[in-house]
Amino acid sequence: MAKLKHAQAMICVASLLCGSLVYSAPAINQATGGWSHDGTITISGTGFGTKPSATPVLWDTVDNATSYSSLVDGDAIPIGGSNPWKSIYANSSGRDDVKYETSSTEQCGVSAAMYKATSKKTAYLDGLSWTKTDSVYVSWWWKQDTDTSAGDHSSKWIRVSDNSDETGKTFSWTQHQSIIYTTTSGYCANQWRGWSGNPGKWNFMEVWFDNAAQRYSIRINGVALYNNISWSPCSSLQMNELWKLGFDGGGNNPPAITWWMDDIYVDSSFARVMLGNASSYSSSTQFEMQSLVSWSSSSIDITVNQGGFNSGATSYLYVIDSQEVVNQTGYPVVISSTVSQASPPNPPANLTVTY
């Protein structure tokens, strides 16, 4: 994000000369517990910072929704009550186009269930709001059967809004464009870029909103697609509602696609824990969100999400704090039944990551 510069000492003197703010990178000293899927791990270290609510706004792996326990393949995803998606519009605005699916041929990692829509121009999950904060982070695993980059349409994977005006203060990411629009200011951001994901394969999608700096970023499979895009002309806009997630066909001739979706993570803080597939954060191209249980400046408890990582293979643990500062050198772990992990090499301090 724009405010996250390469950290240097901040020295303010009478002459009003000021340097940049120091951000000490999180450092992982130890991660102990059962390194198997759904195992409990305690991460110990320094510089983790604060997180007002340890758990995210939403962590929906489909498997973890107890209200889905009686569903079978092809059942419409229920809404309201104890279900993860509570809005009356939550399943495709009442059309029930999003279904429950457990096909092993489409499985995303170790997940046993996922969301699916079959040959639909429009199918999405809808309606999740939270208290406004400076930061919003959304990630999800996504697979679509065909390339949607061509054609006369403007179809959206995600729409995020200021819930004070869902349709009048909104962000959209389409197959060729990302925009922020308000009815009072018009287009406050309008960037054109094609989707860099892989049709027919699972893709890890991430979107950041820095409400304080009024900037957003998008990554696909660890690679930046949009980086620190400003929406400063829309000074009154603050994102705090996931309006639609899935595929919202628009324009003159949107395609009908089949899609699958899993592991939806939404939070009002950038602070999170992830497993990556490379020994440095910046070179990782596969990430798995970890389920947060508790968070303090020196200790974090998680429930392991193995995701797509193979048992017995080495993956790397990353703690990202609320300022988007990360231990750039990953802490190596092996997903297995191991009770604890040996201490890794000490990571360098004072590193930041920008998108």
Side-chain angles (χ1 to χ4, degrees):
M1 300 302 167
K3 64 182 177 181
L4 300 178
K5 306 292 186 182
H6 211 61
Q8 297 180 3
M10 185 176 102
I11 305 172
C12 295
V13 294
S15 61
L16 301 181
L17 295 176
C18 295
S20 301
L21 185 64
V22 168
Y23 291 110
S24 178
I28 301 173
N29 298 328
Q30 195 173 37
T32 58
W35 274 105
S36 58
H37 185 65
D38 286 337
T40 300
I41 299 293
T42 296
I43 305 168
S44 302
T46 59
F48 299 158
T50 61
K51 191 175 190 298
S53 174
T55 56
V57 172
L58 176 71
W59 173 230
D60 179 7
T61 69
V62 189
D63 302 78
N64 65 0
T66 56
S67 59
Y68 295 170
S69 60
S70 62
L71 298 181
V72 298
D73 286 7
D75 282 352
I77 295 300
I79 60 176
S82 61
N83 295 295
W85 300 90
K86 303 183 186 305
S87 166
I88 60 173
Y89 307 106
N91 192 338
S92 310
S93 296
R95 293 186 305 274
D96 288 343
D97 290 331
V98 180
K99 311 294 187 180
Y100 183 81
E101 177 67 32
T102 61
S103 170
S104 61
T105 59
E106 299 298 345
Q107 198 172 67
C108 180
V110 299
S111 177
M114 69 209 82
Y115 296 116
K116 181 181 182 180
T118 304
S119 299
K120 297 296 182 182
K121 293 183 178 183
T122 299
Y124 49 77
L125 297 170
D126 186 340
L128 181 71
S129 298
W130 53 89
T131 301
K132 290 180 179 178
T133 60
D134 285 346
S135 310
V136 177
Y137 174 82
V138 183
S139 68
W140 68 106
W141 278 101
W142 173 261
K143 181 178 179 178
Q144 59 186 61
D145 64 342
T146 56
D147 187 357
T148 55
S149 59
D152 183 15
H153 66 106
S154 180
S155 302
K156 304 147 189 80
W157 290 289
I158 183 173
R159 304 192 76 173
V160 182
S161 298
D162 185 318
N163 77 342
S164 68
D165 188 351
E166 183 182 73
T167 60
K169 297 179 177 181
T170 187
F171 160 89
S172 298
W173 176 26
T174 80
Q175 83 280 8
H176 55 229
Q177 188 181 22
S178 67
I179 62 173
I180 288 184
Y181 173 86
T182 71
T183 52
T184 56
S185 301
Y187 289 99
C188 311
N190 189 0
Q191 298 284 315
W192 294 80
R193 256 164 236 151
W195 186 53
S196 59
N198 302 303
K201 296 182 179 180
W202 284 98
N203 298 273
F204 186 61
M205 318 265 267
E206 298 175 273
V207 183
W208 291 256
F209 298 94
D210 187 332
N211 284 327
Q214 294 186 297
R215 293 180 176 270
Y216 69 88
S217 298
I218 299 174
R219 289 199 316 182
I220 303 176
N221 300 322
V223 179
L225 181 63
Y226 295 93
N227 189 31
N228 285 327
I229 307 301
S230 174
W231 78 76
S232 58
C234 294
S235 58
S236 63
L237 176 64
Q238 283 193 302
M239 304 297 182
N240 72 321
E241 178 184 347
L242 181 57
W243 180 10
K244 295 178 180 178
L245 186 68
F247 193 73
D248 182 19
N252 293 326
N253 190 26
I257 70 169
T258 296
W259 61 251
W260 300 261
M261 184 163 56
D262 209 349
D263 289 5
I264 302 166
Y265 186 101
V266 182
D267 206 3
S268 57
S269 170
F270 293 146
R272 59 194 186 276
V273 175
M274 308 172 82
L275 284 175
N277 66 338
S279 59
S280 71
Y281 185 81
S282 58
S283 60
S284 293
T285 57
Q286 177 187 345
F287 291 99
E288 298 292 351
M289 302 301 300
Q290 299 305 295
S291 178
L292 298 175
V293 177
S294 67
W295 188 295
S296 74
S297 61
S298 60
S299 181
I300 301 170
D301 288 338
I302 65 170
T303 300
V304 176
N305 172 37
Q306 180 177 345
F309 291 118
N310 295 326
S311 297
T314 300
S315 56
Y316 298 87
L317 188 64
Y318 296 100
V319 173
I320 301 94
D321 72 11
S322 63
Q323 300 297 319
E324 276 291 302
V325 185
V326 63
N327 55 299
Q328 180 62 227
T329 300
Y331 182 106
V333 301
V334 177
I335 304 292
S336 65
S337 58
T338 303
V339 174
S340 64
Q341 299 287 337
S343 297
N346 291 326
N350 299 327
L351 288 172
T352 64
V353 175
T354 58
Y355 303 99

